[in-house]
Amino acid sequence: MRGFTRSAAVLSAAAVVAAGCTGGADGAAGPAPTELRLAIGGESEEGYDPTLGWGRYGAPLFQSTLLTRDADLGIANDLATNHSVSSDGLVWTVDIRTDAEFTDGTPLTARDVAYTFTTAARSGGLTDVTALKEAVAVDDDTVELRLTAPQSTFVNRLVSLGIVPQHAHGPDYARKPVGSGPFVLEQWDEGQQLIVRRNDGYYGAKPAFERVVFVFTGEDATLAAARSGQVDVAALPSSLAGSPVPGMELVRVTSVDNRGIMFPYAPDTGRKSAAGHPIGNAVTSDKAVRQAVNAALDRRALVDGVLAGFGSPATGPVDGLPWHEPASAVPDNDPDRARQLLESAGWTDADGDGTRERGGVRAEFTLLYPAGDSLRQGLALAVADMLEPVGVAVTAKGESWEVIRTRMHADAVLFGWGSHDPTEMFNLHHSALAGTELWNPGFYASAEVDAHLDAAMAATDPEQATAHWKAAQHDGRGNGFGPAADAAWAWLVNLEHTYFVDSCLDVGEPGVEPHGHGWPITSGIVGWRWKC
């Protein structure tokens, strides 16, 4: 049981304290525990520096952000007391609260905000601040964030980027962070546990727990810890969430954490990427094949079978979010429609071997997934089974990410994405980003879609931005990256994140969670309370 060996004494003590929540031998309720133990994965191996990407999923815990999202994904103030955007979209002005201090007692000012955004922009970290031209502290409590071009999604940087202190942001900061958030990092035993304590100087509502311990365990060890009462919250995959755990309740959280098939969009002409990797696929470059796959798949069966019911069918990358376009979806579980699309495009099974051909090319492709990911493996194998009856042969193959990166421009890949930020839509589908890192690996290209994505990013009116995000998926005139048009992907399922939670712990109503990196459930941890 990795992660429990060095802290066995602490675990034992925690179990005793937790038992006190339900009452002693005489049945009287004891005091509520002051320590919370979480086994929710997500150890940040790079450390806890927001300028390098920490905190972009969930909450940075040790640092504060300018803005935050409520459970309905609405924007609310945190460090900011007000923010505005210039009419040309180039200047974001933010007023900062004056009662926030870092845990070393130093006041947090606009200079720290300007420093944080400037450093994040220069670091090339996982929080994308590349649109920033400069950040200027106008006075102690006002900062101007000046952009190189309008970016409607820049508000998400104000939500996700934790503010660091200019005076204490050194080389070892990632492992010894100083911030103004609700918690302070006390101890980090890498690969085993992270211990944090309540920041009693925090300007906001104080957490109910003096200390929170994050234990880093594999799935089986996490389940064992939950069953033995050693943790208060345990994150487990759907495959392990079906059996009840005594003393704990299963909490199912809706997410936009999706899984989908990325199709190589370009034809195979022998072209190579800058890194020398092959680009293009003779089968998936045909729109009829991509549309047929989308029509044939039974997504409800994927949810019920592979996800054990813990999820929902996916029609696109942003299902259920304000910028989702429902008209981009197509009816699925329709093999007759899939056969009709293939026949009309000239894909026929002339030799009777069960796989269609056209011009000497068989309707077959390889579907790669990360080796060791049992969920994606299950989805890939199920997809292959569903497509065989319509005459499309799929070979599901698990590979390392190193291999996938060399093949993803030429072979279909089962990816996972999902964000509260529509920038992800832009990155996955804009032709200018084709082949950049993991963005648009299939080299999808559409002038109409590019125009809508560019307009969405440049819009200064949120409603106009949303209209263009929707039109990029389906514009009502046959254009769009969604299944009803170009079918650049076949989106499969949206996961439900499943947590076993101590029956005495109230975690409130979790909001829609993004892709499952980090600790998304902790975005509401300040409001968690014992209820018995």
Side-chain angles (χ1 to χ4, degrees):
M1 293 174 61
R2 182 184 176 201
F4 285 84
T5 53
R6 289 178 56 186
S7 55
V10 178
L11 279 167
S12 177
V16 171
V17 175
C21 180
T22 57
D26 60 357
T34 58
E35 180 176 282
L36 190 67
R37 301 191 63 83
L38 312 179
I40 55 177
E43 180 179 20
S44 178
E45 295 179 2
E46 297 80 17
Y48 301 93
D49 184 346
T51 68
L52 300 178
W54 159 247
R56 67 194 186 282
Y57 297 104
L61 294 184
F62 315 118
Q63 299 89 7
S64 306
T65 54
L66 296 175
L67 302 175
T68 188
R69 288 193 182 276
D70 58 29
D72 297 323
L73 301 184
I75 299 293
N77 288 330
D78 188 353
L79 281 173
T81 58
N82 183 56
H83 79 279
S84 60
V85 186
S86 62
S87 59
D88 60 5
L90 293 176
V91 181
W92 293 63
T93 303
V94 186
D95 296 325
I96 311 298
R97 64 191 304 152
T98 58
D99 59 345
E101 292 185 349
F102 292 110
T103 48
D104 62 2
T106 305
L108 186 155
T109 72
R111 287 184 292 277
D112 298 297
V113 176
Y115 169 82
T116 298
F117 274 80
T118 300
T119 303
R122 292 173 177 170
S123 73
L126 295 175
T127 298
D128 181 6
V129 200
T130 52
L132 184 71
K133 178 181 180 181
E134 60 180 346
V136 177
V138 177
D139 54 37
D140 282 350
D141 59 359
T142 309
V143 65
E144 287 186 356
L145 304 170
R146 303 168 183 171
L147 310 187
T148 57
Q151 187 180 82
S152 63
T153 61
F154 194 73
V155 67
N156 293 287
R157 310 302 162 259
L158 279 64
V159 170
S160 62
L161 183 56
I163 303 305
V164 303
Q166 181 174 4
H167 70 278
H169 189 248
D172 61 345
Y173 180 88
R175 280 162 170 73
K176 297 178 180 179
V178 175
S180 59
F183 292 98
V184 180
L185 193 154
E186 185 174 283
Q187 178 180 332
W188 182 16
D189 302 317
E190 294 186 39
Q192 297 187 61
Q193 65 179 3
L194 181 79
I195 302 174
V196 308
R197 72 174 186 276
R198 181 172 58 207
N199 175 14
D200 289 325
Y202 180 55
Y203 55 82
K206 305 297 189 296
F209 314 99
E210 293 180 4
R211 182 173 280 100
V212 180
V213 181
F214 297 84
V215 291
F216 306 126
T217 55
E219 294 173 357
D220 292 338
T222 295
L223 180 59
R227 287 176 171 166
S228 61
Q230 294 180 323
V231 293
D232 304 301
V233 180
L236 288 166
S238 57
S239 59
L240 297 178
S243 299
V245 174
M248 305 191 88
E249 298 175 354
L250 180 64
V251 175
R252 304 169 62 158
V253 181
T254 300
S255 85
V256 288
D257 189 355
N258 47 53
R259 300 293 181 269
I261 300 171
M262 181 283 307
F263 294 118
Y265 188 81
D268 182 5
T269 60
R271 181 183 171 196
K272 303 281 187 179
S273 71
H277 305 318
I279 297 173
N281 186 293
V283 176
T284 62
S285 59
D286 185 357
K287 180 177 177 178
V289 172
R290 300 192 303 271
Q291 289 185 330
V293 171
N294 273 281
L297 294 175
D298 184 347
R299 291 167 174 82
R300 172 49 61 185
L302 294 176
V303 171
D304 293 342
V306 182
L307 302 188
F310 295 107
S312 62
T315 63
V318 293
D319 286 357
L321 297 181
W323 36 88
H324 172 57
E325 176 49 73
S328 65
V330 294
D332 70 351
N333 190 23
D334 191 350
D336 290 338
R337 172 63 176 159
R339 295 186 186 98
Q340 179 185 8
L341 287 164
L342 293 167
E343 291 280 348
S344 297
W347 294 95
T348 60
D349 183 13
D351 59 10
D353 68 349
T355 300
R356 297 173 182 271
E357 311 90 22
R358 186 180 69 180
V361 176
R362 287 170 55 83
E364 60 184 1
F365 61 88
T366 298
L367 176 55
L368 302 177
Y369 62 88
D373 188 324
S374 60
L375 188 148
R376 295 194 209 193
Q377 179 187 42
L379 290 171
L381 292 173
V383 164
D385 289 343
M386 290 177 180
L387 295 182
E388 182 180 5
V390 302
V392 177
V394 174
T395 301
K397 189 175 183 181
E399 294 284 6
S400 67
W401 275 113
E402 287 75 16
V403 170
I404 291 174
R405 284 176 179 269
T406 69
R407 296 294 310 170
M408 63 185 179
H409 310 318
D411 288 323
V413 179
L414 211 162
F415 276 109
W417 294 101
S419 174
H420 295 155
D421 182 353
T423 302
E424 187 170 276
M425 249 195 307
F426 183 100
N427 294 340
L428 289 177
H429 299 100
H430 200 288
S431 63
L433 292 175
T436 303
E437 297 296 334
L438 295 178
W439 301 132
N440 194 2
F443 281 72
Y444 172 70
S446 163
E448 293 82 6
V449 170
D450 281 354
H452 283 300
L453 293 174
D454 288 335
M457 288 293 274
T460 56
D461 181 342
E463 291 186 3
Q464 289 181 0
T466 295
H468 283 294
W469 291 125
K470 290 185 174 184
Q473 299 161 64
H474 189 266
D475 67 359
R477 299 188 298 274
N479 302 307
F481 62 70
D486 290 334
W489 290 58
W491 295 96
L492 305 178
V493 296
N494 299 305
L495 311 185
E496 279 185 339
H497 291 167
T498 46
Y499 303 91
F500 280 107
V501 178
D502 189 298
S503 298
C504 282
L505 180 64
D506 180 4
V507 296
E509 292 293 331
V512 176
E513 294 185 352
H515 193 53
H517 294 301
W519 302 322
I521 195 172
T522 62
S523 62
I525 194 171
V526 170
W528 294 5
R529 296 289 185 271
W530 293 112
K531 57 187 178 182
C532 57

